[in-house]
Amino acid sequence: TQLLEQSPQFLSIQEGENLTVYCNSSSVFSSLQWYRQEPGEGPVLLVTVVTGGEVKKLKRLTFQFGDARKDSSLHITAAQPGDTGLYLCAGAARSGNQFYFGTGTSLTVIP
Amino acid sequence: KAGVTQTPRYLIKTRGQQVTLSCSPISGHRSVSWYQQTPGQGLQFLFEYFSETQRNKGNFPGRFSGRQFSNSRSEMNVSTLELGDSALYLCASSFGGAVETQYFGPGTRLLVL
């Protein structure tokens, strides 16, 4: 069962543009993580958000956790080719025993 | 500190065979989780081992099994391979548990013919 839906599934933009990726669920999560995965590599953790309404900024990336802890968004400002990759959200089950990963958003930033 | 390593990186097998994949966690990490990643299903949790004991298990058939050794290294075995088992198999290690910060290895790409 896929608990986390990401949108859009694919995104191709020009360098310098802004974009937002969404991660939605009907389930409540105790925390939510965002990863970026490059071809041939494993996912690399970008951020963990744990409090409803929390906003975290990592340089040009802004992450927000929904008030109800069911959804999250990732906003990238002035995208660069180095941002290209597969972005994955992952929610920690409230039972605390595993992460459920989202469907993924494949981002391509064209120079 | 060395990262998570997985061997082999690539593997080609035929239907009906079995395969064993290996994962060496970051030194000091006691939890190892395994995931299957496919284009259609995304990243799905297989199981988690902590201190040589399977602590959590996802919804996969019994053909998928694993174990963890006293040095925290882990192996995953898939028996009677099916075409649908073709995937990238990722392991992730963490210090204490499956919902702590996980560090992923590069994965083993398995192709079943």
Side-chain angles (χ1 to χ4, degrees):
Chain A
T1 302
Q2 192 67 58
L3 298 180
L4 285 159
E5 294 290 334
Q6 288 184 237
S7 61
Q9 187 176 358
F10 298 96
L11 194 52
S12 181
I13 62 172
Q14 295 289 329
E15 181 177 0
E17 293 184 350
N18 301 331
L19 67 114
T20 302
V21 176
Y22 299 94
C23 173
N24 296 300
S25 176
S26 57
S27 302
V28 176
F29 296 100
S30 59
S31 67
L32 194 137
Q33 299 185 335
W34 283 93
Y35 292 82
R36 181 171 67 219
Q37 184 179 19
E38 298 186 19
E41 300 296 330
V44 175
L45 179 67
L46 297 173
V47 78
T48 300
V49 286
V50 297
T51 305
E54 182 177 1
V55 177
K56 279 192 174 179
K57 291 190 175 184
L58 184 67
K59 296 183 179 178
R60 295 177 294 102
L61 278 61
T62 302
F63 305 86
Q64 185 164 8
F65 200 13
D67 291 341
R69 292 186 293 151
K70 293 181 178 181
D71 53 82
S72 180
S73 64
L74 157 61
H75 182 78
I76 301 179
T77 304
Q80 299 177 359
D83 296 327
T84 293
L86 178 68
Y87 287 81
L88 296 159
C89 63
R94 298 188 78 180
S95 59
N97 62 357
Q98 71 176 84
F99 276 110
Y100 293 94
F101 277 81
T103 48
T105 295
S106 179
L107 171 65
T108 301
V109 182
I110 303 166
Chain B
K1 187 187 282 190
V4 178
T5 59
Q6 291 187 246
T7 57
R9 292 292 308 275
Y10 305 92
L11 206 49
I12 300 175
K13 292 286 188 179
T14 57
R15 279 183 302 173
Q17 288 187 309
Q18 74 166 16
V19 66
T20 299
L21 312 181
S22 180
C23 172
S24 292
I26 291 172
S27 178
H29 284 190
R30 297 165 65 188
S31 170
V32 174
S33 296
W34 287 90
Y35 295 87
Q36 180 195 66
Q37 187 175 30
T38 60
Q41 297 296 317
L43 234 155
Q44 294 186 292
F45 174 76
L46 281 156
F47 31 67
E48 182 225 354
Y49 284 86
F50 183 86
S51 294
E52 302 180 64
T53 301
Q54 187 182 87
R55 195 159 63 169
N56 298 301
K57 191 176 189 303
N59 295 323
F60 278 81
R63 300 186 296 108
F64 293 81
S65 63
R67 58 178 175 169
Q68 187 179 33
F69 302 95
S70 59
N71 62 357
S72 293
R73 187 178 72 85
S74 178
E75 288 182 347
M76 190 192 87
N77 184 274
V78 187
S79 63
T80 319
L81 284 165
E82 301 177 358
L83 296 179
D85 296 333
S86 294
L88 180 68
Y89 289 89
L90 294 159
C91 81
S93 77
S94 66
F95 181 74
V99 291
E100 294 187 4
T101 299
Q102 296 183 91
Y103 298 87
F104 282 85
T108 294
R109 178 136 336 251
L110 172 65
L111 177 61
V112 182
L113 301 175

